Amino acid sequence: MNVTNKTILITGTNRGIGRALVDEALKRGAKRLYAGTRGAALQIADERVTPLTLDVTNVAQIERAVEEIGTLDVLINNAGVAIYDDLSNFDAIEQRLAVNLFGILKVTRAFLPLLKRSKGAIVNNLSLAALAPLPIIPGYSISKAAALNMTQSLRALLAGQGVSVHAVILGPIDTDMNRGFDIPKAPPESAARGIFDGLEQGEEEIFPDPASQSVAEGWRAGIPKALERQFAAFVPPSVANAA
Ligand SMILES: NC(=O)c1ccc[n+]([C@@H]2O[C@H](COP(=O)([O-])OP(=O)(O)OC[C@H]3O[C@@H](n4cnc5c(N)ncnc54)[C@H](OP(=O)(O)O)[C@@H]3O)[C@@H](O)[C@H]2O)c1
């Protein structure tokens, strides 16, 4: 899907990749951009941008956002949290899941009626840690793996209704999230371009940076992808033909 003249909602836009996605969507001619933040509103001098208070764990705020938006073509679930842990703290794991898994699911379900109406797209910002755990952030890795699995189910369940569902498999990007982690990182601006390019090309999994691109071919030709397609065939015709 091309985002020119489209209405887009992005979560977690005050910094990092979310902020870069806002700029890139505007450059590509988005018609209206709803910029979600859980804290202070995004300050940006472009009349196409509507700031939105949206903590993805807050159901009341999600419901208010749906009422305010009214029509939507592209939902980008970008908000996320990653903190070092060692699987000893259950509260910490639940907190990652609350944002990185249930946050995506709650926001997505709330906006589904609008996305079905527009035959729109859902883009979930995930991570290489969804494919294999990064054991210094295992709670985060669990949440991203679960979110990839959920993304694959949503893709199969919504295909018949004209809604496309994309997983972004991000490698290391130079944002606050991995400050102090001394490895090569791609700039958020180029990751944002890669995400919209992948969406435009209709890629189910989008690999928007050099580290993630190095596994793209293997993923697309691999057993998990083949199984995803095989299992999607179990979706009952009543769901698959709902369009
Ligand atoms: N940077 C990387 O290397 C990398 C790699 C793989 C995947 N990713 C994924 O890319 C996405 C963006 O990451 P980033 O690097 O831009 O991280 P970041 O710079 O740490 O920004 C995270 C954003 O998410 C927001 N957020 C956190 N919890 C939220 C909540 N409950 N409701 C709404 N917004 C919330 C933050 O808002 P506040 O400012 O209020 O905290 C912030 O805007 C995340 O999903 C992340 O997992 C990043």
Side-chain angles (χ1 to χ4, degrees), residues 85-87 93-94 96-97 100-101 126 129-135 137-150:
D85 71 296
D86 60 4
L87 293 184
I93 299 169
E94 283 180 9
R96 309 301 184 274
L97 289 169
N100 299 345
L101 176 67
L126 308 178
L131 309 186
L134 194 54
I137 42 172
Y140 174 81
S141 301
I142 290 168
S143 71
K144 291 294 182 180
L148 173 60
N149 196 283
M150 176 186 75

Side-chain angles (χ1 to χ4, degrees), residues 185-206:
K185 300 170 200 171
E189 295 75 17
S190 71
R193 285 195 296 276
I195 290 170
F196 284 118
D197 286 348
L199 177 62
E200 210 165 300
Q201 286 151 22
E203 288 166 4
E204 292 186 345
E205 272 72 46
I206 298 171

Side-chain angles (χ1 to χ4, degrees), residues 111-188:
F111 282 98
L112 259 188
L114 304 190
L115 291 164
K116 285 182 186 172
R117 211 186 301 147
S118 65
K119 302 212 179 301
I122 299 164
V123 179
N124 293 338
N125 275 359
L126 308 178
S127 164
L128 282 173
L131 309 186
L134 194 54
I136 51 169
I137 42 172
Y140 174 81
S141 301
I142 290 168
S143 71
K144 291 294 182 180
L148 173 60
N149 196 283
M150 176 186 75
T151 302
Q152 292 170 306
S153 283
L154 280 172
R155 179 179 295 145
L157 293 168
L158 295 173
Q161 299 170 65
V163 179
S164 65
V165 184
H166 310 263
V168 182
I169 309 298
L170 285 145
I173 310 298
D174 193 7
T175 69
D176 295 340
M177 186 167 277
N178 59 23
R179 286 271 173 272
F181 202 35
D182 193 15
I183 47 165
K185 300 170 200 171

